[in-house]
Amino acid sequence: MNGINLKIALRNILRNRLLSLISIIGLGIGLGTIMLLLALIIHERSFEKCIPGYGNVYKVLLGNNCTSPYPLAEAMKNDIPGVKSYFRINQANNVQVRNLRNVTGRGEDFAFADSSIYRILNIKFIAGAPAVAANEIAISARMAQKYFGNLSPIGEVLRVKPNNRFINMTVCGVYRDFPSNSTLYPNFIVDIKVVLELFGQFTSTLGQYSSGITTALNWDWTSFYTYVVLDQNADRSSIIAQMQKYREFSAYKDWISSRNYGLQPVTDIYLKSEKFDPGFTAYRSGNPQDQKYYWAISLLVLLISITNYVFLTRASAAGRLHELGTRKVAGASAANLRRQLVFESNIITILSLIPASFVIDYGITVVNQNLGKNLSAEVFSYPLMWLLLVAVVLVTGTVSGIIIGASVSRVSPLLLLSGKTSEKPVRRRWDYSFLVFHFSLFIILSSSVLAITKQIRYSITGIKGLDPRNILVSELTSDKLRGSFTMLKNEMSKVPGVISVAGSSLIPLYSPYIPIALANPEGDKVTFEGLVMGEGMPELLNMEVVEGSSFKTYHDLPLEVILNESSARKYNVRAGDNFLKVFHVLGIVRDFHSHTSRSAINPMVILEQHPDKMSLLVIKTDGRNDNEVIRRLRILYDEADPDEIFDVRHYSDSINGIYVREKNEGRIMAAFSLVAISLAIMGLFGMALISVTKRRKEIGVRKINGSTISEVMLLLGKDILKWVVISVLISVPVALYFTEKWQQNFAYRSRLSWWIFAASCLAAVIVTFATTGWHIWKAASGNPVKALRYE
C-alpha cells in the first residue's frame, strides 16, 4: 500500500512541478529556520553541561560582582564542610605572546588559574601535561597551530608580557580547544601566582593615582572568578550563610557591607549574568531575552510554513479533484484518501529537508558572524536535537496533510468528478485572509528593525557632551612608551591632518569608569564616578566648559579637579570653590555620556594625569589623512619600544561595540523579517493562482461585456489590497507598542517617527503587487473565449 501511495505522491509532485517546487522550497526555508533556532536554543541552554558533575559546581558571587578575593576559595575549603574543591581564574585580553621566531599576538585570552582547573573542567590534553610551575604554560590546539605550525610545541619557549617585561615560559602541554558550550575559553593557562605580573597593568593605567594600591593576593582585591565544587548532599543555603563572615576580612568594609556572598550554578552563568556590574568579562554570556525571540519566531515560522503549504496545495487541488473522485468511485474510503494526502504531505516535508540543510549550513555562519555566537554543527549530535527534528518534520507533514485531507475526504465522489468540493457557491472572502497574519508579522518585524536601527544610530551619533568623530586611540602599554609620551605628542602634532594630540588614562565610553573617593584629612568623603585625563583631552573630546576653565600645565598642588553639571548641582559647587576644603574645582563641564545611552548621566569627577604617567595617546584628525597618521605613529612606536605590539583604534569603533546586544536584536528581527516576507511571497503566489483560477470565467464574461485590461486588473488587485490594509490596521498599533516598550531600556531615546511605520506598510504593498501583478496581468489580458470554456 505504501508503495502505491509513494508512486501516486511522486506522480503528483512531477505533474505540478512549479507549485511542488515552491512548496518544497518554502517548507525548506521554514523548517531550516526552525531547526536553526531550535539548535541555537539547545546550544545556549547546554552551557557548562560539558563539566563533569556540573550540578555540584558553582561560581562565587559578591553582590552584583561575579569576582571575588584570592584567599576566599582556600578559606572555604578549609572552614566549610561540604566544599570539596575549587579553582580560581583570572583571564586577561591584553597579554602579549610571541615565540622565538617573532610570531606575535595580543588579547588571545590568557588565563592565570589553579592547577585544579584541569581536573574540574575535564580539560583534555592532546600532548604534554598541565602547567603547574611558575615558568610553564599550557596552550590550546589553536594556539599551538598558530605559533608552532605542524611542529611539536612541547618544550618550546613562548615569551609572555603580562605587564612591563617579557617572561620566558616553557610549553608543557597542548589541550583541546574549549567546547563551544563553555563559558570559559582560555587559549593559554599559566600558574595563578603569575597573575601578580598582570596586576601591574592596572597600576600602570592609573599612573599618578596608583600609589595607594597594593597588588598582593589578599582579601582587598576582588579580581578572580572562583569556582567551587560542593558535596552532592551539601546544603547550599547553609554554605552561603557561612560565607558571609569573610566580608569582615576586606579593608573596604563600607563597600562590601551592602553586598552578600552567593553561589551561582554554573549552568546559570550564560543566561543569568545580566545583573552583574558592566565592564570587561572573561566569560561568554548570552541574552535571556533572545531565548523568547527564538521560541516565538520558531512557532510563528512553523505556523506560516504549514499555512503556506496548505494554501499552495489548495492551488493545485483543482486538477486532482477528478482523480480523487475516481478513487472514491472505485471504492477508496475517506480514511484512505486522508492517509494518501497525509502521506504525500510528509513526502513533501521530507524533500524540503534538502533546502533546509542549506539554510542550516549557511545560517550557522550567519548566526556566528552577526550575532556573536559560537554555534557549531556539534549541536546536531545531541539526542534532544534529533528528537525535536523528527517531531517538527512529522508535525509539519502530518498536520498539513490532515488539514488538506479533511476538506476533500468528506466530499461526495460525484462532486469531485465534476471538479467541485461544494454545491454552494464558493465564497472567496477568506482566500486571502491568512495573508493578514503574514503581512502583519512582516510589518511588525520590519518596523521594529527600523526603530532599533534608528535608536542605535541615535545612541552612537547623538552622544551628549562629546564628539567621537575622527579620533584615534592608542594604548601606551609599556614604561618606555609612557616615558615617550611628550615626544610622541610633539611629533604627531606635526603630521599633516592631525588637529590635536592629548594623553589620558581613562576616557569615557572607551575605558570603564572607576569609583573615585575624594576625602579630606577630617575624614569627609564623597564617591564619584571618575575619569583621569591629561591637559588638552577635554578640548579634544569637544567637552564644553560651562564655567571656569579646563586643565592647564600639570602641577602637584593644589589638587585640581573638573566636575560635570550633575556633580555641581548635587553638591552645590561652582568653579573656583575648594571642594571638601582640599580640591580646587577648576571648571564645570556640560554633562556628557560616560556610559551608554541606556543609563542616565551620573555625577562625575575628572582628575588630571601626570604627563609621564599617561596610558593612552589620543589623536584628533581631520579624517582625510588617517592612514598616513597611523603609519607615522607606528614608526614612532617602533622607535620608542620595538618590543611592543602596535595597536590603534578609532574611538567611534569602540563606541559602536557598546551596542552589540541591540544590534544583535536588530539583526534577529531583520533576518526573520526576510524569512517572513519570503514565505509570504510564496503564499501570495499560490493564492494568486487560486484566485485567478476560480475567477477565470468571471473575467471572460467581463471582458466580453467590454471591460478593459486595466479595469480587470483593478478589480483583482482590490481584493488583495484590502487584506493588506487590514494587516496595516492590525500591525501598526502592535508594532508601536512593542517598539515603545523596547525603547524603555534607554534613558535617552530617539523619537519614533511616522515614516518608520509608513515605510514598512509601503514595503508590504509593493511586495504584494510585485508578487501577484504578473498573475493578474496574465489573467486580465488572456483570451476571453478560452476563459468562458473553463469548467
Side-chain angles (χ1 to χ4, degrees):
M1 185 67 181
N2 284 336
I4 296 173
N5 287 340
L6 179 60
K7 289 180 181 180
I8 295 172
L10 293 176
R11 183 185 63 197
N12 286 318
I13 290 171
L14 294 173
R15 178 186 298 165
N16 300 285
R17 292 183 182 85
L18 181 58
L19 281 178
S20 296
L21 182 63
I22 293 173
S23 296
I24 291 169
I25 293 175
L27 274 177
I29 293 173
L31 290 179
T33 302
I34 293 166
M35 284 182 256
L36 185 64
L37 287 168
L38 291 177
L40 194 53
I41 291 169
I42 292 173
H43 173 68
E44 298 207 336
R45 291 185 176 276
S46 71
F47 268 79
E48 301 300 38
K49 292 183 179 178
C50 51
I51 300 175
Y54 59 83
N56 298 319
V57 184
Y58 297 85
K59 188 178 187 179
V60 174
L61 307 178
L62 179 54
N64 288 336
N65 262 336
C66 54
T67 54
S68 50
Y70 177 82
L72 175 68
E74 188 172 357
M76 290 178 63
K77 175 70 168 60
N78 294 334
D79 300 344
I80 302 178
V83 178
K84 289 174 59 179
S85 58
Y86 64 87
F87 74 86
R88 297 156 295 195
I89 181 172
N90 181 294
Q91 188 166 308
N93 69 339
N94 198 26
V95 174
Q96 287 192 48
V97 178
R98 61 179 60 187
N99 63 15
L100 298 182
R101 295 174 301 176
N102 218 30
V103 176
T104 61
R106 173 189 277 172
E108 294 175 313
D109 309 315
F110 198 100
F112 308 82
D114 291 301
S115 58
S116 51
I117 188 176
Y118 304 101
R119 173 177 50 82
I120 294 173
L121 297 186
N122 194 30
I123 298 174
K124 301 290 187 181
F125 275 80
I126 299 170
V132 293
N135 64 339
E136 292 181 338
I137 183 170
I139 65 177
S140 69
R142 189 163 65 88
M143 291 300 104
Q145 180 64 36
K146 174 178 178 177
Y147 286 93
F148 300 101
N150 295 325
L151 300 176
S152 172
I154 305 301
E156 296 291 333
V157 172
L158 283 175
R159 301 180 66 211
V160 176
K161 190 180 182 185
N163 185 23
N164 290 324
R165 66 188 182 98
F166 278 103
I167 304 170
N168 288 339
M169 308 199 79
T170 303
V171 178
C172 61
V174 178
Y175 55 84
R176 296 187 187 278
D177 294 334
F178 274 60
S180 62
N181 60 344
S182 170
T183 56
L184 295 173
Y185 48 92
N187 283 312
F188 303 90
I189 304 177
V190 298
D191 183 74
I192 196 165
K193 294 292 181 63
V194 185
V195 79
L196 287 170
E197 294 281 346
L198 179 72
F199 282 172
Q201 279 192 9
F202 181 65
T203 56
S204 297
T205 297
L206 292 181
Q208 175 74 6
Y209 303 97
S210 64
S211 57
I213 296 176
T214 173
T215 58
L217 300 177
N218 57 29
W219 287 95
D220 300 336
W221 278 76
T222 55
S223 303
F224 297 87
Y225 298 136
T226 301
Y227 291 75
V228 294
V229 182
L230 305 185
D231 283 324
Q232 188 170 359
N233 299 320
D235 184 348
R236 182 168 62 137
S237 59
S238 173
I239 292 175
I240 292 174
Q242 295 178 69
M243 291 170 64
Q244 306 314 316
K245 64 185 177 184
Y246 299 118
R247 295 185 299 169
E248 298 298 322
F249 296 175
S250 172
Y252 302 107
K253 292 185 177 60
D254 292 340
W255 175 83
I256 205 173
S257 61
S258 61
R259 301 171 182 243
N260 292 321
Y261 279 111
L263 293 174
Q264 180 185 35
V266 288
T267 50
D268 287 352
I269 294 173
Y270 186 76
L271 290 176
K272 297 182 180 179
S273 295
E274 71 279 1
K275 65 180 180 180
F276 299 136
D277 291 335
F280 169 69
T281 56
Y283 60 90
R284 295 188 181 105
S285 61
N287 181 4
Q289 192 68 28
D290 289 347
Q291 295 278 309
K292 298 177 183 177
Y293 293 145
Y294 302 153
W295 278 116
I297 293 171
S298 296
L299 293 175
L300 289 174
V301 171
L302 179 62
L303 182 57
I304 291 174
S305 299
I306 291 175
T307 307
N308 259 3
Y309 176 66
V310 169
F311 278 89
L312 284 171
T313 304
R314 280 186 57 196
S316 62
R320 296 195 60 192
L321 296 180
H322 190 274
E323 171 210 331
L324 295 173
T326 302
R327 293 190 65 191
K328 267 201 162 187
V329 169
S333 65
N336 285 335
L337 291 182
R338 284 196 297 270
R339 278 197 296 270
Q340 170 65 34
L341 292 169
V342 168
F343 186 83
E344 290 182 16
S345 180
N346 277 292
I347 291 294
I348 291 286
T349 306
I350 291 171
L351 290 174
S352 72
L353 292 178
I354 298 171
S357 64
F358 289 99
V359 172
I360 293 169
D361 185 54
Y362 177 70
I364 288 175
T365 302
V366 171
V367 164
N368 291 338
Q369 289 180 349
N370 293 288
L371 301 186
K373 305 296 183 181
N374 60 324
L375 183 65
S376 70
E378 179 187 3
V379 70
F380 288 94
S381 65
Y382 300 166
L384 178 59
M385 188 65 225
W386 278 100
L387 182 63
L388 288 173
L389 174 62
V390 172
V392 168
V393 171
L394 288 178
V395 166
T396 303
T398 304
V399 170
S400 302
I402 290 173
I403 293 172
I404 296 165
S407 62
V408 176
S409 60
R410 295 192 298 265
V411 180
S412 70
L414 292 177
L415 276 175
L416 291 174
L417 286 170
S418 65
K420 298 179 181 179
T421 56
S422 174
E423 293 179 346
K424 298 178 181 179
V426 178
R427 300 176 66 187
R428 295 186 298 273
R429 179 178 300 172
W430 301 108
D431 276 359
Y432 281 94
S433 60
F434 86 105
L435 293 174
V436 172
F437 174 71
H438 281 54
F439 281 104
S440 295
L441 180 61
F442 168 70
I443 292 170
I444 292 169
L445 289 173
S446 57
S447 299
S448 300
V449 170
L450 292 174
I452 290 173
T453 303
K454 190 170 184 285
Q455 175 64 47
I456 293 172
R457 185 179 294 113
Y458 172 79
S459 299
I460 293 172
T461 60
I463 296 174
K464 186 176 181 181
L466 300 174
D467 183 4
R469 294 174 298 175
N470 301 325
I471 293 177
L472 301 173
V473 181
S474 185
E475 297 183 24
L476 305 174
T477 51
S478 72
D479 287 339
K480 289 181 180 179
L481 288 174
R482 284 186 283 271
S484 302
F485 167 73
T486 302
M487 179 275 291
L488 293 170
K489 177 182 176 181
N490 293 337
E491 291 298 319
M492 290 307 300
S493 298
K494 302 173 185 177
V495 178
V498 172
I499 297 173
S500 61
V501 183
S504 187
S505 287
L506 300 170
I507 60 175
L509 298 171
Y510 180 89
S511 314
Y513 74 90
I514 58 171
I516 291 180
L518 301 184
N520 61 19
E522 286 76 32
D524 299 323
K525 182 169 66 175
V526 176
T527 301
F528 298 83
E529 291 185 358
L531 296 170
V532 183
M533 297 183 181
E535 178 188 357
M537 182 57 67
E539 292 82 357
L540 187 149
L541 295 176
N542 203 31
M543 291 182 175
E544 182 183 353
V545 179
V546 296
E547 187 179 336
S549 63
S550 184
F551 293 127
K552 304 299 181 184
T553 303
Y554 178 84
H555 48 79
D556 292 327
L557 293 174
L559 297 172
E560 295 180 332
V561 297
I562 294 176
L563 303 179
N564 68 348
E565 291 176 307
S566 295
S567 294
R569 284 194 300 268
K570 182 174 181 178
Y571 298 106
N572 194 26
V573 176
R574 298 183 63 86
D577 290 351
N578 284 328
F579 187 58
L580 297 177
K581 301 178 182 179
V582 174
F583 303 95
H584 177 67
V585 179
L586 191 61
I588 308 294
V589 296
R590 191 170 301 283
D591 278 342
F592 59 89
H593 276 122
S594 54
H595 299 292
T596 70
S597 59
R598 303 184 203 103
S599 307
I601 294 174
N602 295 322
M604 175 71 67
V605 61
I606 305 174
L607 306 178
E608 186 173 14
Q609 184 62 282
H610 192 287
D612 294 335
K613 304 291 184 180
M614 304 294 183
S615 61
L616 297 174
L617 180 73
V618 185
I619 304 170
K620 177 77 171 181
T621 74
D622 59 12
R624 295 192 294 266
N625 196 33
D626 283 3
N627 289 337
E628 176 60 24
V629 172
I630 294 171
R631 187 190 70 82
R632 180 59 182 158
L633 183 60
R634 182 189 297 273
I635 293 171
L636 293 172
Y637 262 54
D638 289 342
E639 291 175 356
D641 190 349
D643 284 336
E644 193 67 14
I645 297 175
F646 175 76
D647 185 36
V648 65
R649 303 178 213 173
H650 284 86
Y651 187 33
S652 56
D653 289 344
S654 300
I655 294 173
N656 290 341
I658 294 173
Y659 296 98
V660 170
R661 174 174 170 175
E662 287 76 16
K663 289 180 180 178
N664 287 349
E665 290 176 349
R667 290 184 182 117
I668 290 171
M669 292 184 182
F672 295 109
S673 295
L674 183 62
V675 171
I677 198 62
S678 299
L679 294 175
I681 286 171
M682 293 180 182
L684 268 174
F685 186 89
M687 289 309 302
L689 284 179
I690 292 174
S691 180
V692 168
T693 300
K694 289 183 176 180
R695 303 185 70 175
R696 191 176 297 175
K697 195 167 187 176
E698 175 194 343
I699 292 169
V701 172
R702 288 181 180 276
K703 291 193 72 177
I704 290 292
N705 290 326
S707 294
T708 64
I709 292 176
S710 59
E711 288 173 339
V712 174
M713 290 184 68
L714 182 62
L715 174 70
L716 296 174
K718 282 195 303 183
D719 278 352
I720 301 173
L721 183 60
K722 70 180 180 183
W723 296 110
V724 178
V725 172
I726 293 172
S727 300
V728 170
L729 295 176
I730 293 172
S731 59
V732 169
V734 176
L736 183 62
Y737 169 77
F738 281 114
T739 49
E740 283 184 338
K741 189 171 183 180
W742 179 83
Q743 279 195 318
Q744 291 174 6
N745 295 319
F746 292 82
Y748 304 93
R749 302 166 193 165
S750 169
R751 189 170 61 88
L752 287 175
S753 305
W754 64 269
W755 62 262
I756 291 175
F757 306 99
S760 298
C761 296
L762 181 61
V765 173
I766 291 172
V767 166
T768 299
F769 286 105
T771 304
T772 61
W774 184 80
H775 288 297
I776 293 174
W777 177 84
K778 186 178 179 182
S781 61
N783 187 335
V785 176
K786 290 184 178 179
L788 289 173
R789 289 175 180 170
Y790 183 69
E791 296 179 353

